[in-house]
Amino acid sequence: MNSLRAFVFDVDNTLTPPRRRLEPEMAEVLKNLPVTFHVAAGSDLALVQEQLVEPLQAAGYRGSFDAFVCNGSDRYRFELDGQTRLTSLRSFNLRNHLGASAFQTLMNTLENILNDPTFAIDAPGVRVFGEQIIDRGSMVNFAPIGRPKQMNPEAFANRDAFVVFDERTGYRHRILEHLRTALHGVIRDGGLRITFGGQTSFDIVIEGNDKTFPLRTLTEEGFTDLTYFGDALFEGGNDAAVLQFIAEHQEDQRLRVRAIQVAGWRDTLDQLLDLVQ
Ligand SMILES: [Mg+2]
């Protein structure tokens, strides 16, 4: 049987450095990749365009790929031929899925954390920039230090200081535990799933409308050999749902699907070159 092969990449910290644009070296590799690829990003469309699509266009990439954004639930097709053409293929709505009352419970729980002194960020120099609760339609991103609209040196320094604080104190672990307890009912009845989002925030999604969605969709569309690359395949990470998909399809003889944990974009580059050479 002929296999139809594709690579699926997480974007932030897998193809790009955290919250930064694609490096020219990676753009060159993607331009010459002999395997079809698609991306499954934690972030929204605007960030994927800025971090990935614009640098690819500038590097002379020509071709088409799908971007499953907002943790995989919203699907867009990009066609780059000097111009960038964008088509929306699927969108999901978390609020509609949960219903107004459960959605309000979620919002109130997040607000309460921001107002709770026991969850204050007790680190000198760390400040809040931008929105802290971001409703992206298909998912909610919760960022205790906020998401600045524009990244600048001050915002990057703030982010770095938070990452050090978080690693030292287990701050996000403590919030994750609290959220999973406080939202137990919505998790059970609505399929709500909460994971770490990148290095500073949380991604709140609905089961199946996460990074398993691109894998399921590509499988249904005939792909039989899928390799997923992600930096957050660990428990609580926003790529971890992929492992669940793999476990569920282990017995399926027609499908070969695996996941590769990477330590950052350079590691992805190395592992990718090993695979295709
Ligand atoms: Mg990532």
Side-chain angles (χ1 to χ4, degrees):
M1 190 188 78
N2 285 333
S3 67
L4 194 53
R5 187 183 188 199
F7 292 157
V8 181
F9 298 107
D10 166 52
V11 176
D12 201 51
N13 205 32
T14 295
L15 285 180
T16 73
R19 199 59 172 84
R20 291 178 192 265
R21 289 164 71 91
L22 192 75
E23 295 285 333
E25 231 179 306
M26 182 62 96
E28 277 309 306
V29 169
L30 292 178
K31 262 169 74 179
N32 299 308
L33 205 61
V35 177
T36 299
F37 77 87
H38 301 291
V39 300
S43 51
D44 63 5
L45 181 67
L47 203 54
V48 169
Q49 282 183 292
E50 177 192 320
Q51 278 184 276
L52 176 72
V53 181
E54 287 166 18
L56 270 180
Q57 181 74 269
Y61 172 90
R62 299 293 176 260
S64 117
F65 59 88
D66 290 354
F68 297 83
V69 304
C70 294
N71 257 305
S73 57
D74 290 348
R75 183 186 191 183
Y76 294 90
R77 179 154 299 158
F78 280 100
E79 290 164 282
L80 277 63
D81 58 4
Q83 304 285 317
T84 300
R85 276 194 297 276
L86 172 65
T87 315
S88 166
L89 299 180
R90 191 249 188 184
S91 67
F92 175 74
N93 191 279
L94 180 140
R95 186 197 293 246
N96 290 347
H97 170 90
L98 286 182
S101 152
F103 185 78
Q104 200 51 53
T105 302
L106 167 62
M107 289 295 127
N108 292 345
T109 306
L110 300 179
E111 285 285 353
N112 290 344
I113 288 177
L114 296 177
N115 295 323
D116 183 341
T118 62
F119 291 116
I121 302 171
D122 184 17
V126 177
R127 292 170 39 206
V128 174
F129 285 99
E131 269 187 291
Q132 292 165 289
I133 301 173
I134 304 103
D135 179 3
R136 292 180 179 156
S138 56
M139 64 172 285
V140 173
N141 181 257
F142 178 51
I145 61 162
R147 291 191 80 88
K149 283 237 175 315
Q150 289 289 321
M151 290 305 283
N152 53 37
E154 196 187 2
F156 274 115
N158 193 55
R159 188 189 160 88
D160 291 346
F162 175 81
V163 171
V164 171
F165 159 76
D166 186 38
E167 280 170 6
R168 182 168 53 80
T169 62
Y171 176 76
R172 283 195 308 163
H173 273 280
R174 195 154 61 84
I175 291 187
L176 186 64
E177 230 166 84
H178 172 82
L179 282 172
R180 286 179 173 171
T181 306
L183 292 166
H184 172 73
V186 189
I187 289 170
R188 185 193 55 211
D189 302 334
L192 197 76
R193 295 292 176 265
I194 308 158
T195 63
F196 298 123
Q199 292 176 301
T200 60
S201 64
F202 299 87
D203 287 338
I204 301 171
V205 303
I206 300 299
E207 183 170 22
N209 291 280
D210 49 25
K211 293 202 181 187
T212 60
F213 181 74
L215 297 182
R216 197 165 64 243
T217 302
L218 294 170
T219 304
E220 285 165 6
E221 292 174 3
F223 284 94
T224 52
D225 184 347
L226 297 172
T227 306
Y228 183 89
F229 295 78
D231 69 302
L233 284 156
F234 48 80
E235 152 61 27
N238 71 359
D239 297 313
V242 165
L243 299 179
Q244 190 189 328
F245 179 88
I246 292 174
E248 284 164 9
H249 291 82
Q250 231 161 21
E251 305 295 319
D252 189 342
Q253 301 294 323
R254 295 157 304 173
L255 184 62
R256 181 172 186 262
V257 51
R258 61 185 166 155
I260 296 181
Q261 167 75 42
V262 299
W265 74 274
R266 281 196 178 280
D267 186 31
T268 306
L269 199 72
D270 291 344
Q271 301 212 43
L272 203 48
L273 293 176
D274 281 348
L275 273 183
V276 297
Q277 267 167 6

